[in-house]
Amino acid sequence: MRLIILDNADVVAEWAARFVLQRVTQFAPGPGRHFVLGLPTGGTPLGMYRKLIQFYKEGKISFKYVKTFNMDEYVGLPRDHPESYHYYMWNEFFKHVDIEPGNAHVLDGNAPDLVAECQRFEDLIQEAGGVHLFIGGIGPDGHIAFNEPGSSLVSRTRVKTLAYDTLEANKRFFGNDISKVPRQALTVGVGTVMDAKEVMILITGVHKSLALAKAVEEGVNHMWTVSAFQQHAQTLFVCDEDATLELRVKTVKYFKALSEEHQKMIEGVPVDEQRVIH
Ligand SMILES: N[C@@H]1[C@@H](O)[C@H](O)[C@@H](COP(=O)(O)O)O[C@@H]1O
């Protein structure tokens, strides 16, 4: 596991975007050779999307041969509702870059058969050859995507009823009215994300600090579903200083001492010339 500790949320956004740029560039996508990205929504990744749009406009990256799979979507929220994850993805990212609309996959929370929709999504990921890089965010209760506390750590894409903490955390997007937050969502499973070749989880803010400590310093526990990624061979947690407040000083010092090595990951240093740190 790599824990990359950066000064603040802006630096996290820039680091994450530069990491995506490196991975896509190294892969050299082209016709019949797509790079497959798993993508999150929420406030945390917004800065990363803005940077990626900037890189696209500067000609540094193209999404023409990139396929994307989003982590989750609310059930029953119209697709054009400003808080639907469809709306978010198209407005904050997809419409600004050259991705083929047919390659940008977001779960349909209005599908007549939600179980079939979840299976369809899993099948599409398989058909794409699996996800190269899954990017995620977490809730303050340590959920990844909408894998609420107590979710199976081998779960697949499915319908989930949201936990009270999640409704509370997300009501800010619904005029602070908890009754307006959809009660259910479709979400990739922890197992779906675990199957990706590489996972990058973005964690910023003091309100996520307990979740980060649980994810990094305590055992694998389905009450903090992000902790499952301790068992993934290529996990990167990218966080800001605020999110480290519940970590031990020893943990923070250890990972900060590796910051020069971490920097190489976004500077185009070939992977085989990077010291391996897990
Ligand atoms: N389902 C989403 C998660 O995928 C997201 O990671 C989390 C954090 O969002 P934010 O980045 O706004 O804190 O919010 C929701 O619960």
Side-chain angles (χ1 to χ4, degrees), residues 41-45 72 85 137-139 143 145-146 166 170 172-173 208:
T41 53
T44 312
D72 42 20
Y85 291 169
I138 63 166
H143 72 231
F146 271 127
T166 302
N170 289 0
R172 68 192 198 275
F173 299 119
K208 307 264 176 92

Side-chain angles (χ1 to χ4, degrees), residues 112-143:
D113 182 342
L114 293 175
V115 174
E117 169 62 10
C118 292
Q119 187 56 51
R120 188 187 71 90
F121 202 72
E122 287 277 342
D123 293 345
L124 282 170
I125 294 176
Q126 286 287 320
E127 277 164 34
V131 174
H132 293 107
L133 173 63
F134 224 127
I135 305 169
I138 63 166
D141 62 359
H143 72 231

Side-chain angles (χ1 to χ4, degrees), residues 67-81:
K67 291 186 182 180
T68 64
F69 291 90
N70 262 83
M71 300 196 110
D72 42 20
E73 175 61 289
Y74 290 114
V75 167
L77 207 57
R79 198 177 270 225
D80 58 358
H81 188 290

Side-chain angles (χ1 to χ4, degrees), residues 33-255:
R33 180 178 163 78
H34 287 79
F35 188 82
V36 184
L37 262 178
L39 294 177
T41 53
T44 312
L46 271 178
M48 175 189 75
Y49 289 131
R50 287 184 191 141
K51 270 281 161 201
L52 285 173
I53 294 165
Q54 182 193 322
F55 293 159
Y56 164 70
K57 289 186 173 154
E58 292 168 354
K60 293 180 178 155
I61 191 169
S62 165
F63 295 89
K64 191 160 176 53
Y65 298 107
V66 172
K67 291 186 182 180
T68 64
F69 291 90
N70 262 83
M71 300 196 110
D72 42 20
E73 175 61 289
Y74 290 114
V75 167
L77 207 57
R79 198 177 270 225
D80 58 358
H81 188 290
E83 292 310 328
S84 86
Y85 291 169
H86 264 94
Y87 188 95
Y88 172 110
M89 287 310 299
W90 285 97
N91 282 286
E92 302 293 353
F93 187 49
F94 296 147
K95 78 174 185 193
H96 304 285
V97 298
D98 60 345
I99 194 161
E100 301 283 347
N103 286 338
H105 304 283
V106 183
L107 282 152
D108 180 0
N110 294 295
D113 182 342
L114 293 175
V115 174
E117 169 62 10
C118 292
Q119 187 56 51
R120 188 187 71 90
F121 202 72
E122 287 277 342
D123 293 345
L124 282 170
I125 294 176
Q126 286 287 320
E127 277 164 34
V131 174
H132 293 107
L133 173 63
F134 224 127
I135 305 169
I138 63 166
D141 62 359
H143 72 231
I144 174 116
F146 271 127
N147 292 285
E148 300 290 31
S151 291
S152 159
L153 299 184
V154 294
S155 50
R156 312 301 309 184
T157 306
R158 68 211 184 291
V159 186
K160 271 309 269 191
T161 298
L162 303 185
Y164 182 75
D165 283 355
T166 302
L167 301 178
E168 263 295 312
N170 289 0
K171 74 177 184 192
R172 68 192 198 275
F173 299 119
F174 293 85
N176 270 324
D177 181 352
I178 200 165
S179 71
K180 295 215 169 80
V181 188
R183 291 287 187 272
Q184 288 192 313
L186 303 185
T187 179
V188 293
V190 180
T192 318
V193 184
M194 284 289 285
D195 284 352
K197 290 196 177 67
E198 200 163 20
V199 179
M200 173 166 71
I201 300 169
L202 311 179
I203 307 177
T204 59
V206 67
H207 61 304
K208 307 264 176 92
S209 59
L210 184 60
L212 180 62
K214 295 280 182 185
V216 170
E217 290 182 341
E218 294 195 19
V220 173
N221 184 333
H222 68 174
M223 297 311 287
W224 299 85
T225 53
V226 64
S227 66
F229 293 91
Q230 291 174 17
Q231 295 197 316
H232 191 288
Q234 297 285 352
T235 295
L236 286 163
F237 288 105
V238 188
C239 70
D240 66 355
E241 287 280 353
D242 285 352
T244 67
L245 287 188
E246 296 284 345
L247 288 174
R248 292 187 194 128
V249 173
K250 189 160 92 171
T251 308
V252 173
K253 283 194 167 168
Y254 173 72
F255 285 104

